[in-house]
Amino acid sequence: DFCWSGAFDGQADVLRIAEDAPIESVATLAGTGIDGFVLCSDDEYLVLGDDQSDTVAAIAVAGSDPDALIIGVTFEGSLPTAGGLSENSPNSAGYVAMGRRSKAGRISFVNGCVLDAPDVADTVTDVAIDNGDVVYVAGTTRGNLSFGGQTAVGRGERDAFVATIKLVDLENGSCEGSITSLASSADDGEPRLGVVETAVFASLWAGGDLYVGDNLVPDSAGRSVVVNL
């Protein structure tokens, strides 16, 4: 049993490889513009997007609740949140959502939270959840990105960030969490996340001397860096 994610344009037959059969079509998805999707091996699916460009970058499954899916999206236009549709500038923005598998052909949308620095491009590159049901969202921004009353301050052309939110808060749509910048004075790479029980790590390429919040990572300029969050 597995799920995967991606994006499609207009209408698409989404394919999977069956255990003892050739590639087989399991769902025909229809959308407008480029839309993100999540598709699970038992044919459950969810489409997220409007008439602009939207991509599901990553998904994660909660260990304590296998039917709960954490979905990381880079989007333009608008996507649903607890307070209604989120309107965004023509620049891309980050988005983390919770969906719930129902075993009935559709993954139901529960709630979503937006991570957006105004007037600049933001992306989501990865999502993860630890054994304590804390959700982590990694991405990049070209400005100062605020979330949960905190701000990840940019230092260069493109900086990374990791935001956290409790699964229960995401489910309830409160969008109260925290955010940390992984930033240098140069162009930094797209962060990826790894989880070992309650330990969460972010890896990225540091273009210059990398700061995690206000803390300098020694000898990090021009290197691949792994940060214990």
Side-chain angles (χ1 to χ4, degrees), residues 93-182:
Y95 178 80
V96 58
M98 178 179 170
R100 184 167 293 282
R101 299 178 65 178
S102 62
K103 312 300 183 185
R106 290 295 298 269
I107 299 168
S108 59
F109 171 81
V110 179
N111 268 312
C113 298
V114 175
L115 299 98
D116 182 25
D119 302 322
V120 297
D122 310 297
T123 68
V124 166
T125 58
D126 209 357
V127 293
I129 183 167
D130 69 11
N131 284 4
D133 280 349
V134 177
V135 174
Y136 294 78
V137 187
T140 64
T141 182
R142 296 183 183 272
N144 297 336
L145 198 158
S146 296
F147 183 69
Q150 299 182 18
T151 299
V153 178
R155 294 175 181 268
E157 180 181 352
R158 181 179 68 167
D159 299 304
F161 68 83
V162 176
T164 63
I165 182 172
K166 293 180 180 178
L167 180 63
V168 64
D169 290 337
L170 179 59
E171 184 171 11
N172 294 333
S174 66
C175 297
E176 291 296 325
S178 62
I179 191 166
T180 300
S181 61
L182 292 78

